[in-house]
Amino acid sequence: MRATLIYGAGDVRVEDVPDPAIRQPTDAVVRVLRSCVCGSDLWPYGSKPASEQGARIGHEFLGVVEETGKEVSGLGRGDIVVAPFVWSDNTCDFCQEGLQTSCRHGGGWGADGVDGGQGEAVRVPQAQGTLVKLPVGEDSALLPSLLTLSDVFSTGHHCAVAAGVGPRTTVTVIGDGAVGLSAVLAAKRLGAERIILMGRHKDRTDLGLDFGATDVVAERGEEGVEKVRELTGGDGTHTVLECVGLKAAVDTAFGVVRSGGTVSRVGAPQYSDVPMDSSLFMRNVTLTGGVAPARAYIEELLPDVLDGTVEPGRVFDRTVDLDGVPDGYRAMADREALKVLIRP
Amino acid sequence: MRATLIYGAGDVRVEDVPDPAIRQPTDAVVRVLRSCVCGSDLWPYGSKPASEQGARIGHEFLGVVEETGKEVSGLGRGDIVVAPFVWSDNTCDFCQEGLQTSCRHGGGWGADGVDGGQGEAVRVPQAQGTLVKLPVGEDSALLPSLLTLSDVFSTGHHCAVAAGVGPRTTVTVIGDGAVGLSAVLAAKRLGAERIILMGRHKDRTDLGLDFGATDVVAERGEEGVEKVRELTGGDGTHTVLECVGLKAAVDTAFGVVRSGGTVSRVGAPQYSDVPMDSSLFMRNVTLTGGVAPARAYIEELLPDVLDGTVEPGRVFDRTVDLDGVPDGYRAMADREALKVLIRP
């Protein structure tokens, strides 16, 4: 089959690779209907050292079950399924607590003999725990929105849930990328009345307004902090959803959080330390979040996607086939595209 | 009257100062029955630059109301009261949320014309919101335990509450000072079954065992982290209560926290940054805590102190009069005394 490999910064190729096959009785093989490029894929695309050996890439996909191992029950050939962005047994203590990203028998896509998501098919370990069946057909118009359950919408939701967003909380979302916009949508879905979106790309913040943002702050850094404080009577917001991953975004988050409030981070951290000094101590500010256990949320979010209450798939503004994947990466890196959908 | 002033590192004096008097209609004047030295007082005692001008010090006290301003209701001459370690109106939005340390009309003791707690009497601003009446007499044997509601036991409780300690959580407490031991007691009171106390002073950790610790780890740093991991099947504990305030203690906390778990800090931070890198992100570790809004907890903790269910006053192992305060500081700084009670 054909699949995407990354050889280094700016060097993504689509090549022939071995067809996936059942190796363990808990595996399934899934033919990919839709995949996509993640903002986090842009970090290696921006900086990975060049290598002779390409690495498989892609961790978001939705597809059709082609084959299952002997120990997989509840899933069969022809089922349409979505895969969260890590695989997990969904039975260990961490999984039972809703932290499938720390599953004792789980792992990531595209490593250790497991296929990446940006290809024609994937061998899925722990298939019974990992895959969630979707009550739609191969040609459903909902596939893009359903695919976001794999990562981007679930990540926005995790960010908001970890922060404690609810009807009585005010929210600042930092970042107008696909995760930031998903966080806006998730915060709105959880009942937040005030959602301030910090971003400076008008086409993106316009989608944020559609998703439920009540205010947009285009300013960054100190100026942005002051603007949010102005909008909130000087106090800042109860929760801040950090959807970028850069140190500057974390600094902004601490600047706009209300005393007693929570900064929740889901931007893959491109920093090692954060400021947590006496002033944040005196203000009882909490820092939470992390990689989203998407698997924990799919059943909860699914009905609202199926009935159109939320349309998280609107973050996709370009569609490519497999041959178009390298240009899809380029377009996202150049901010020509917000998020690229792949139809293999 | 006589009160304690700090002139710099190692230089604490007891001197004559003006008698407190009502200045605002919301004030009260309280004659101090018991005060004490806080672990956080040792930071200026260790490093404050020398000054010609002494600064009032002490923020924990319990006493008798001598006089109240015209707008103070519910309190009268002769009432025995405890003061939390910041004063607050207890009516603003932050106070109503239980964050009296961020009160819009509150402040600290020993600054801006407000007396410190380590003296014969104190003018209490926002007296109606700040002071809590105690149903005991001036000679009650419970006074030391009741005094801990002012700060140290409430701080231990805040640390445990912010961390989410309950019957199903395992706990590591870092630090065997009075706050750490109070955190052990608070965690036990909240139902934690497993409480690992990290500390290396046997007399203190013995009290910790009395307070409910199930394990003591004397090792520090990497060795201490490994020991806690050994005790927990490699996982660490759901919650970690950081009761020291040094960077090394925070590093240890992140080392022993279970994935998905929470580090709660109440040690006054002697650091500005903390590590919050990709590995903690992948593990969904939360950092919470801060200065304790003791006022929020006093009514809740009071019954258990009054009926002897908890005896947080056991952290006091030395009693001095006002003349003995300088030596009390020295004894705590030299770790001769765990916590010094003051009877003016």
Side-chain angles (χ1 to χ4, degrees):
Chain A
M1 67 160 183
R2 283 157 57 75
T4 306
L5 292 93
I6 183 164
Y7 282 81
D11 187 2
V12 165
R13 309 178 199 171
V14 177
E15 297 182 344
D16 287 322
V17 299
D19 286 338
I22 301 291
R23 291 193 205 168
Q24 302 289 331
T26 47
D27 286 351
V29 171
V30 171
R31 173 168 54 86
V32 175
L33 288 173
R34 296 291 185 282
S35 179
C36 55
V37 183
C38 184
S40 68
D41 293 332
L42 297 182
W43 298 119
Y45 186 75
S47 65
K48 189 179 163 76
S51 162
E52 299 281 305
Q53 190 79 19
R56 301 286 285 278
I57 192 165
H59 53 263
E60 298 156 279
F61 65 97
L62 170 160
V64 187
V65 175
E66 297 221 311
E67 195 183 351
T68 55
K70 283 179 188 163
E71 292 177 17
V72 177
S73 68
L75 286 174
R77 189 179 170 82
D79 284 341
I80 309 285
V81 291
V82 64
F85 71 95
V86 301
W87 47 271
S88 59
D89 64 16
N90 216 29
T91 58
C92 78
D93 53 346
F94 281 116
C95 287
Q96 289 300 303
E97 293 165 24
L99 199 69
Q100 284 87 343
T101 42
S102 293
C103 174
R104 295 191 189 274
H105 310 105
W109 305 107
D112 306 322
V114 177
D115 302 286
Q118 294 162 2
E120 289 183 287
V122 176
R123 178 177 72 88
V124 177
Q126 301 291 349
Q128 187 177 322
T130 301
L131 298 171
V132 180
K133 266 203 276 194
L134 301 173
V136 295
E138 286 196 31
D139 55 356
S140 168
L142 290 173
L143 295 190
S145 281
L146 291 167
L147 175 62
T148 68
L149 297 173
S150 176
D151 182 344
V152 66
F153 184 44
S154 294
T155 292
H157 178 70
H158 178 61
C159 195
V161 167
V165 170
R168 299 184 60 187
T169 38
T170 52
V171 183
T172 301
V173 175
I174 300 180
D176 59 7
V179 172
L181 299 178
S182 299
V184 168
L185 185 62
K188 177 69 178 174
R189 183 182 165 279
L190 290 166
E193 281 182 14
R194 180 115 194 227
I195 303 170
I196 300 170
L197 172 59
M198 299 187 78
R200 57 189 181 136
H201 303 88
K202 188 167 181 308
D203 51 338
R204 299 179 179 196
T205 56
D206 281 350
L207 180 54
L209 290 167
D210 274 6
F211 275 176
T214 52
D215 307 83
V216 170
V217 169
E219 292 83 353
R220 311 176 89 182
E222 267 312 305
E223 215 184 336
V225 169
E226 273 174 39
K227 198 71 192 287
V228 173
R229 291 205 164 261
E230 264 174 50
L231 289 170
T232 53
D235 285 343
T237 54
H238 297 109
T239 63
V240 183
L241 311 186
E242 191 285 297
C243 302
V244 176
L246 294 173
K247 180 70 164 30
V250 175
D251 290 341
T252 298
F254 285 133
V256 300
V257 68
R258 187 173 181 273
S259 293
T262 299
V263 172
S264 182
R265 60 176 186 155
V266 292
Q270 309 302 305
Y271 53 82
S272 58
D273 289 3
V274 301
M276 260 293 178
D277 58 7
S278 286
S279 104
L280 292 166
F281 179 85
M282 295 307 289
R283 296 175 59 220
N284 273 279
V285 169
T286 294
L287 178 61
T288 189
V291 65
R295 182 65 187 83
Y297 302 124
I298 294 179
E299 282 92 344
E300 178 187 349
L301 297 173
L302 185 55
D304 283 2
V305 174
L306 289 173
D307 71 13
T309 303
V310 291
E311 296 181 278
R314 291 179 66 194
V315 295
F316 295 112
D317 58 352
R318 183 169 299 194
T319 302
V320 297
D321 58 14
L322 270 185
D323 286 336
V325 168
D327 194 59
Y329 271 81
R330 184 207 53 74
M332 275 180 67
D334 291 349
R335 307 222 175 199
E336 241 178 66
L338 171 55
K339 191 165 173 78
V340 171
L341 186 71
I342 302 169
R343 291 179 70 151
Chain B
M1 70 161 181
R2 284 157 58 74
T4 305
L5 293 93
I6 183 164
Y7 281 82
D11 186 2
V12 165
R13 309 178 200 172
V14 177
E15 296 182 344
D16 287 323
V17 300
D19 285 339
I22 301 292
R23 292 191 206 170
Q24 302 288 331
T26 46
D27 286 351
V29 171
V30 171
R31 173 168 54 87
V32 175
L33 289 174
R34 297 290 185 281
S35 179
C36 55
V37 182
C38 184
S40 68
D41 293 332
L42 297 183
W43 297 119
Y45 186 76
S47 65
K48 189 180 164 76
S51 163
E52 299 280 304
Q53 191 78 19
R56 303 283 286 276
I57 192 165
H59 53 262
E60 298 156 280
F61 64 97
L62 171 161
V64 188
V65 175
E66 297 220 310
E67 195 182 350
T68 56
K70 282 177 188 164
E71 292 177 15
V72 177
S73 68
L75 287 175
R77 189 180 169 81
D79 285 340
I80 310 285
V81 291
V82 64
F85 72 93
V86 301
W87 47 271
S88 59
D89 64 16
N90 216 28
T91 58
C92 79
D93 52 347
F94 281 116
C95 287
Q96 289 300 302
E97 293 165 24
L99 199 69
Q100 284 88 343
T101 41
S102 293
C103 174
R104 296 193 189 273
H105 309 105
W109 306 107
D112 306 322
V114 177
D115 303 287
Q118 294 163 1
E120 289 183 289
V122 175
R123 177 176 74 86
V124 177
Q126 301 290 352
Q128 188 178 324
T130 302
L131 299 172
V132 179
K133 268 205 274 195
L134 302 173
V136 296
E138 286 195 30
D139 55 355
S140 167
L142 291 173
L143 295 190
S145 281
L146 292 166
L147 175 62
T148 68
L149 297 174
S150 176
D151 182 344
V152 66
F153 184 44
S154 294
T155 292
H157 179 70
H158 177 61
C159 195
V161 167
V165 171
R168 298 183 60 186
T169 38
T170 51
V171 183
T172 301
V173 175
I174 300 180
D176 60 7
V179 172
L181 299 179
S182 299
V184 169
L185 186 61
K188 178 68 179 175
R189 182 182 167 278
L190 290 166
E193 280 182 16
R194 180 114 194 228
I195 304 170
I196 300 170
L197 172 59
M198 299 186 78
R200 55 188 184 139
H201 303 89
K202 189 169 180 307
D203 50 340
R204 300 180 178 194
T205 56
D206 281 350
L207 180 54
L209 290 167
D210 273 6
F211 275 176
T214 51
D215 306 83
V216 170
V217 170
E219 292 83 352
R220 311 176 88 182
E222 267 311 304
E223 214 183 338
V225 169
E226 272 174 41
K227 198 72 191 283
V228 173
R229 292 205 164 261
E230 264 174 50
L231 289 170
T232 53
D235 285 343
T237 55
H238 297 109
T239 63
V240 183
L241 312 185
E242 190 285 297
C243 302
V244 175
L246 294 172
K247 179 71 163 32
V250 176
D251 290 340
T252 298
F254 285 133
V256 300
V257 67
R258 187 173 180 273
S259 293
T262 299
V263 172
S264 182
R265 59 177 187 156
V266 293
Q270 309 302 306
Y271 53 82
S272 58
D273 289 1
V274 301
M276 259 294 177
D277 58 7
S278 286
S279 102
L280 292 165
F281 178 86
M282 295 305 291
R283 295 175 57 219
N284 273 279
V285 169
T286 295
L287 178 61
T288 190
V291 64
R295 181 65 186 84
Y297 302 123
I298 295 178
E299 282 93 343
E300 179 187 347
L301 298 174
L302 185 55
D304 282 3
V305 174
L306 290 173
D307 71 13
T309 302
V310 291
E311 296 181 278
R314 290 179 66 193
V315 294
F316 296 113
D317 58 352
R318 183 169 301 193
T319 302
V320 297
D321 59 13
L322 270 184
D323 286 336
V325 168
D327 194 58
Y329 270 80
R330 184 207 53 74
M332 273 179 67
D334 292 350
R335 307 224 175 196
E336 240 179 67
L338 172 55
K339 191 167 173 76
V340 171
L341 186 71
I342 302 168
R343 292 179 68 152

